[in-house]
Amino acid sequence: QYVLGRWGFRGLDLAVDRRALIPRPETETLAGAVIDWLRGEVRSRRAGGTAGGTASLQVADLGTGCGAVALAIAQEVPEATVHAADCSADALELAGENLAGLGRAGARVTIARGDWFEAIDPTLDERLDAVVSNPPYVADDEPLPPEVSDWEPHLALRAGEDGLACLGLLVSGARARLRPGGLLALECAPDQTAALVALASARGYDDVEVLDDLAGRPRVVTAHRPAADPPAHQLLSAVRAVRAGGFVVAPTDTVCGVLADYANTAALRRVYAAKRRPESMPVPVLVSGIDQAEQLVMLGDEALEMAQRYWPGALTLVAPRRAAADVGGDGAAAGSTLGVRVPDLGWLRWLASETGPLTGTSANCHGADTLSEAAAAARSLAKPAAHVMDGSAPGGAASTVVDVCGRRPTVLREGALCSADLARQ
Ligand SMILES: C[S@@+](CC[C@H](N)C(=O)[O-])C[C@H]1O[C@@H](n2cnc3c(N)ncnc32)[C@H](O)[C@@H]1O
């Protein structure tokens, strides 16, 4: 390809040379996923006749290299403005040459140099419709064929011990840049998709999907910032409150809950006092994903199957507690079992991944009815909340509680999931 100096990508004829990675066929799948989704957005905005119906769609292509993905999007989606960025001056020089050859669509592409999101104008925070990237994802010690390692830039390929360093940064960073409902699309190696899916779910994305390339290998992960996600400043206030040892009252996917750092005994005591709940009664814990749950409890094969099937969702598993998870020591957190749940609401998973496991008890005094409106729930408690997230919980059934400590799972409390479904698994 370098001898030819030109390379085709989704109908574009691009200049390629040693300044940037040569676009691969699997990256056409990545670009195609974003293009299809953007076109769907344009159609639904037009059909909905919304005020912003004709406004342009804002897209960031991070680690743009020779510009292939950014230019294909600009070319194929006339409503898109594309912000292409890379940390390599060489790559951007080549991208600039390709942009010059794009014609009129090129007017909707900007190019900037910087480290991932730092190159993107901060006024676009929470306004990007899509973030796309084919970042470096080869583990540092993974051997590469000489035609790759000798000719292509190291910076375009290597990404730490497990190859997930850049992907992790992008998953974490994109959430605060995307508008609610916005799309994150990432290319990765086939053996990285499971880890990337778990990471995206733990970081609070919804509708996480894996797409195959034309050769049938899983190569692209897409995910969305939840459409009803609270604004970033509210989420940061919640993080600060939890880290400072206070508690947050918030609508959850079941009822209104009291969220506090489960690993902080003083915070846990505050929750018990606020609820006037006897410390001998354990509270359930919200976790960001199965990995975080397994730091607290032991999940056998059957429990893991249930977790994989129903999490995120309204299922609390009561499982044997790991010794190291006896955080409270006495009173509140003592006991040999613990109820854990991965909540359906993305921002709750995100909060747990930021702060560690959270108390997931309802925001009402012990024995009183549960409340769906957060401000009213906060007022009903005996201690003030450090932060209240506005809004109402859907008010449906609480989670179904299943004891997975014994030989067979036992339903301890019927809830949103019916026990007949659980028995059928
Ligand atoms: C695998 S290449 C992909 C290039 C192009 N998007 C494509 O698909 O052909 C990864 C790109 O990420 C860029 N990159 C690496 N580290 C970066 C960072 N910290 N910030 C921005 N870009 C980075 C590299 O310079 C390289 O151009």
Side-chain angles (χ1 to χ4, degrees):
Q1 294 97 319
Y2 285 132
V3 174
L4 290 172
R6 312 286 313 168
W7 191 244
F9 185 84
R10 283 188 73 95
L12 296 174
D13 177 34
L14 299 170
V16 292
D17 61 31
R18 292 185 77 154
R19 287 176 287 175
L21 188 99
I22 295 178
R24 309 291 204 257
E26 52 269 25
T27 307
E28 297 200 12
T29 303
L30 174 73
V34 178
I35 288 165
D36 289 348
W37 183 81
L38 291 169
R39 285 177 173 162
E41 283 296 286
V42 171
R43 276 195 301 275
S44 63
R45 284 182 189 196
R46 285 206 181 116
T50 52
T54 51
S56 84
L57 293 155
Q58 304 292 324
V59 181
D61 172 28
L62 302 179
T64 195
C66 73
V69 173
L71 302 193
I73 293 171
Q75 175 85 326
E76 296 183 50
V77 186
E79 295 79 5
T81 295
V82 188
H83 309 272
D86 205 291
C87 66
S88 155
D90 282 349
L92 290 182
E93 202 178 62
L94 182 61
E97 289 162 25
N98 282 319
L99 177 59
L102 192 66
R104 282 180 50 188
R108 287 179 284 104
V109 181
T110 64
I111 291 184
R113 185 171 175 209
D115 189 36
W116 301 127
F117 291 97
E118 279 172 23
I120 303 298
D121 180 351
T123 63
L124 289 167
D125 281 2
E126 297 202 76
R127 287 182 48 220
L128 289 172
D129 293 283
V131 171
V132 55
S133 183
N134 170 23
Y137 52 75
V138 181
D140 286 346
D141 61 358
E142 188 179 323
L144 286 168
E147 66 274 20
V148 175
S149 59
D150 295 353
W151 288 85
E152 303 206 85
H154 183 267
L155 184 64
L157 296 162
R158 298 291 185 186
E161 246 174 58
D162 56 3
L164 291 168
C166 302
L167 289 162
L169 283 173
L170 290 162
V171 169
S172 298
R175 223 171 163 280
R177 271 61 178 216
L178 286 169
R179 60 145 168 100
L183 169 77
L184 171 66
L186 297 171
E187 183 178 317
C188 64
D191 62 359
Q192 291 171 331
T193 51
L196 192 52
V197 165
L199 186 66
S201 173
R203 299 298 295 173
Y205 290 84
D206 278 351
D207 305 324
V208 185
E209 280 178 33
V210 177
L211 308 179
D212 290 348
D213 65 11
L214 291 175
R217 291 165 307 179
R219 293 305 297 255
V220 171
V221 171
T222 60
H224 293 264
R225 180 173 174 194
D229 217 28
H233 69 90
Q234 279 239 26
L235 295 175
L236 290 178
S237 300
V239 170
R240 275 196 289 271
V242 171
R243 287 201 180 133
F247 65 81
V248 173
V249 171
T252 76
D253 45 338
T254 53
V255 294
C256 265
V258 178
L259 313 168
D261 180 356
Y262 182 69
N264 179 335
T265 308
L268 209 50
R269 289 237 153 82
R270 219 159 272 136
V271 170
Y272 276 87
K275 282 181 60 94
R276 301 189 201 283
R277 186 179 171 97
E279 289 199 1
S280 55
M281 297 182 70
V283 291
V285 177
L286 298 177
V287 288
S288 60
I290 292 177
D291 284 358
Q292 205 176 61
E294 287 194 302
Q295 290 166 19
L296 296 174
V297 293
M298 284 171 282
L299 298 174
D301 290 347
E302 212 164 349
L304 260 180
E305 246 175 66
M306 291 172 94
Q308 273 152 2
R309 188 156 168 186
Y310 293 107
W311 282 351
L315 172 70
T316 299
L317 294 176
V318 176
R321 179 197 285 268
R322 287 189 194 279
D326 277 326
V327 287
D330 55 355
S336 59
T337 65
L338 189 66
V340 288
R341 182 167 87 85
V342 178
D344 224 3
L345 274 183
W347 74 264
L348 282 175
R349 298 195 299 277
W350 175 84
L351 186 62
S353 72
E354 285 287 308
T355 63
L358 296 162
T359 58
T361 179
S362 57
N364 52 273
C365 281
H366 184 57
D369 287 342
T370 57
L371 291 158
S372 62
E373 209 259 312
R379 280 195 302 274
S380 78
L381 297 172
K383 299 264 176 209
H387 182 69
V388 180
M389 300 285 280
D390 296 332
S392 294
S399 68
T400 299
V401 182
V402 178
D403 183 335
V404 290
C405 299
R407 286 188 51 227
R408 299 288 310 155
T410 316
V411 176
L412 298 180
R413 179 181 79 188
E414 294 280 355
L417 284 175
C418 86
S419 48
D421 280 345
L422 291 170
R424 240 179 271 132
Q425 72 163 325

